[in-house]
Amino acid sequence: MTQEQWGQVQKALLETIGRNNFRTWIEPLEFAELTDGVATLHVPTSFLGNYVRQNFGDMLLYQMTAVGADVRRIRFQVPAHPANSTRPAPQKPAIAAPTRPAAAAPAAARDDLLPAAPLDPRFTFDSFVVGKPNELAHAAAKRVAEGGPVTFNPLFLYGGVGLGKTHLMHAIAHELRTRHPHLNVLYLSAEQFMYRFVQALRDRKMMDFKEIFRAVDVLMVDDVQFIAGKDSTQEEFFHTFNALVDQNRQIVISADRAPGEIKDLENRIKSRLQCGLVVDLHPTDYELRLGILQSKVVAQKAQYPELELADGVLEFLAHRISTNVRVLEGALTRLFAFASLVGREITLELAQDCLADILRASDRKISIEEIQKKVSEHYNIRLSDMIGPKRVRSFARPRQVAMYLCKQLTSRSLPEIGRRFGGRDHTTVMHGVRRIEELRMQDAQIEEDIELLRRALEA
Ligand SMILES: Nc1ncnc2c1ncn2[C@@H]1O[C@H](COP(=O)(O)OP(=O)(O)OP(=O)(O)O)[C@@H](O)[C@H]1O
């Protein structure tokens, strides 16, 4: 591969994963050499190499092939520093290239036999609002929905309640069915999979069951955590999964947590699920919530054309309701219905009245105190030390982590957060938040700590 081709690969990645991700993960890579089908990319740290391999390895491989380079594997290597060491840097595990052609054989329509779940016509890519927390998941879903060569298998989407997993799954299925009507696209929940499986066992129709699932071109299973602890369903899922991957058929899976974190799921299934691209839908941020509200309000206004919506109401909701998108949508629907009933303009006061319970629940969700308590427990320091004036690193870092989480998970302002951390200035909070944002990119341990804490707090 020439440096020019490498430039083309980078450009394609930039378009697929967005500028922020590109800058963080792809720009630092340097193409070193291509020998015997193995492309070596230099990475500044092994953490970055691991992350890129796991999250963008298949995309890189796909793009290298697309620009005409004869690449079968990618090796990520931290270059040995001549001043420090004469030994070559340890080689990272390589990624195997997909060896089979794309699933193509048009399957005969067997809709009567297929246990598919209905798709919600509203859940399309057009109605999905993209922001920083979901841009990678969206890009990966779009790629699968193109129905081109299978580049990552499975695509594993995970995230907390109501963050858009099902929406994205349906969007993929809609688009695949429109673009490639001959493809057998099967979408169902893990619960439905189990139900069909048990039914087949009971009716002695296991052969039919296997045949139906093996004839699928794209299998999409929602909420896979449901089969955890259900031994024979897991066993059958494992065989179905392997049979389809062997035939190079695309699989898309969703769950409420990462494969490794699903309790009572067999290890061999976990490792299978981790083989492809695992992407996380992060909790929404203020901008995304506002974007979603702005897009959803159009339908409400069409339904209630007589209603006036005062300035600032959507911003207020985006600020105050930080739980999940379903709750946000519900609040908007209720607000319009209520305003129409009482025949009043939708103002801040009306929103506060009509949504008091939702606002209270959202406020109660995570408090600054809870965050401070959890973080100090996690780092095994006293609460008073975290809030107090001491600047030693063992207290300062947990303090910054706690400030960062307060900014992310509560709707409190920087000055307010500063006040609750022993009367610190808002610029100190801002500095702490920025520092943690940087460290999340560089330090795998901090990244893991934050994820753990976030999950514990949101549970
Ligand atoms: N980015 C987004 N843009 C537009 N709508 C969204 C977005 N994210 C979520 N929604 C909407 O929020 C609601 C909940 O989303 P969805 O059902 O996909 O969540 P989920 O992650 O599957 O949740 P659960 O864990 O409960 O299954 C849906 O109505 C969906 O359309």
Side-chain angles (χ1 to χ4, degrees):
M1 182 167 59
T2 60
Q3 290 296 343
E4 197 190 328
Q5 284 175 314
W6 170 237
Q8 291 168 4
V9 170
Q10 287 187 306
K11 192 159 166 276
L13 262 280
L14 171 65
E15 277 161 18
T16 317
I17 67 176
R19 198 144 48 100
N20 285 335
N21 277 310
F22 178 83
R23 284 224 174 116
T24 312
W25 304 112
I26 306 299
E27 210 167 58
L29 307 179
E30 275 172 26
F31 167 61
E33 60 170 5
L34 172 61
T35 316
D36 295 332
V38 181
T40 302
L41 295 180
H42 281 172
V43 289
T45 61
S46 56
F47 168 73
L48 193 131
N50 280 333
Y51 190 92
V52 174
R53 176 167 52 79
Q54 212 183 349
N55 293 284
F56 306 113
D58 288 324
M59 285 190 211
L60 279 168
L61 191 59
Y62 172 76
Q63 291 301 345
M64 286 177 182
T65 317
V67 299
D70 181 20
V71 180
R72 272 167 289 121
R73 296 187 308 161
I74 301 177
R75 188 163 62 197
F76 294 96
Q77 196 174 47
V78 182
H81 199 292
N84 297 335
S85 159
T86 50
R87 284 189 319 191
Q91 291 179 355
K92 301 287 139 207
I95 298 163
T99 50
R100 288 154 202 279
R110 305 183 57 174
D111 279 352
D112 52 330
L113 283 174
L114 285 177
L119 297 177
D120 189 320
R122 293 166 308 169
F123 291 179
T124 61
F125 281 117
D126 281 346
S127 63
F128 190 81
V129 181
V130 186
K132 238 178 138 196
N134 60 22
E135 72 177 340
L136 191 56
H138 173 260
K142 272 285 219 192
R143 170 55 59 89
V144 167
E146 283 168 12
V150 177
T151 47
F152 27 80
N153 216 1
L155 168 62
F156 190 99
L157 297 169
Y158 76 96
V161 175
L163 295 180
K165 300 180 295 290
T166 301
H167 189 137
L168 274 183
M169 299 274 277
H170 285 211
I172 296 174
H174 280 307
E175 188 139 334
L176 278 171
R177 285 183 181 171
T178 312
R179 283 178 178 233
H180 306 279
H182 63 281
L183 281 184
N184 219 338
V185 179
L186 175 56
Y187 165 85
L188 80 175
S189 68
E191 188 178 0
Q192 285 160 334
F193 179 87
M194 185 184 86
Y195 176 71
R196 301 290 164 186
F197 168 64
V198 172
Q199 199 177 31
L201 277 179
R202 194 192 55 207
D203 301 344
R204 297 174 197 280
K205 288 195 172 155
M206 270 316 287
M207 285 309 285
D208 288 352
F209 178 89
K210 282 182 195 294
E211 228 174 76
I212 287 170
F213 276 92
R214 308 290 195 269
V216 163
D217 291 307
V218 181
L219 176 65
M220 311 182 67
V221 181
D222 211 346
D223 288 324
V224 81
Q225 74 278 354
F226 182 84
I227 63 166
K230 308 195 168 71
D231 293 346
S232 37
T233 305
Q234 283 194 49
E235 175 86 18
E236 189 53 36
F237 177 76
F238 183 69
H239 294 312
T240 306
F241 186 101
N242 287 344
L244 291 175
V245 170
D246 279 352
Q247 297 173 68
N248 210 30
R249 309 281 167 87
Q250 179 72 56
I251 298 180
V252 185
I253 306 277
S254 88
D256 63 354
R257 64 202 70 185
E261 287 174 26
I262 305 178
K263 237 179 102 214
D264 297 329
L265 190 67
E266 282 182 39
N267 282 337
R268 57 182 183 160
I269 299 186
K270 282 185 190 169
S271 72
R272 271 301 201 167
L273 294 176
Q274 282 160 338
C275 274
L277 183 67
V278 177
V279 277
D280 184 356
L281 283 145
H282 293 277
T284 56
D285 57 15
Y286 171 77
E287 286 81 9
L288 179 57
R289 288 195 294 274
L290 186 59
I292 290 172
L293 284 169
Q294 282 164 343
S295 108
K296 309 255 172 198
V297 85
V298 177
Q300 295 295 336
K301 281 184 172 163
Q303 194 179 346
Y304 303 101
E306 76 285 4
L307 287 183
E308 291 285 324
L309 175 67
D311 285 348
V313 172
L314 296 186
E315 287 78 1
F316 169 77
L317 296 181
H319 197 57
R320 291 286 302 273
I321 304 177
S322 54
T323 40
N324 73 54
V325 181
R326 197 175 288 122
V327 175
L328 202 61
E329 267 183 358
L332 196 66
T333 310
R334 195 206 289 183
L335 192 54
F336 272 80
F338 184 80
S340 163
L341 272 178
V342 296
R344 277 166 51 191
E345 183 192 352
I346 302 176
T347 58
L348 273 182
E349 292 71 41
L350 188 86
Q352 275 163 332
D353 264 8
C354 151
L355 304 172
D357 55 335
I358 297 181
L359 295 171
R360 255 199 319 274
S362 193
D363 262 0
R364 200 176 49 227
K365 191 87 170 75
I366 301 172
S367 67
I368 292 183
E369 287 74 23
E370 266 178 82
I371 295 175
Q372 291 172 331
K373 189 162 164 286
K374 269 268 169 349
V375 174
S376 57
E377 281 167 9
H378 180 85
Y379 288 103
N380 216 0
I381 62 171
R382 279 202 300 267
L383 191 59
S384 56
D385 283 330
M386 191 171 69
I387 298 170
K390 291 185 193 148
R391 289 188 185 191
V392 284
R393 163 85 65 100
S394 50
F395 301 141
R397 189 68 83 228
R399 189 182 295 138
Q400 288 177 329
V401 166
M403 286 174 173
Y404 173 83
L405 287 167
C406 288
K407 178 75 184 46
Q408 294 292 316
L409 303 178
T410 74
S411 50
R412 303 292 164 214
S413 64
L414 294 177
E416 161 94 335
I417 297 173
R419 271 198 297 282
R420 309 279 277 278
F421 279 79
R424 288 179 161 80
D425 192 66
H426 77 278
T427 52
T428 312
V429 182
M430 201 156 65
H431 169 76
V433 171
R434 291 217 178 117
R435 184 74 193 116
I436 297 300
E437 274 168 359
E438 286 164 13
L439 283 175
R440 283 191 74 166
M441 305 289 185
Q442 301 155 6
D443 184 336
Q445 186 59 53
I446 289 267
E447 171 71 12
E448 198 182 316
D449 289 351
I450 300 234
E451 274 311 291
L452 269 176
L453 283 162
R454 182 169 68 73
R455 279 177 211 286
L457 284 159
E458 283 181 336

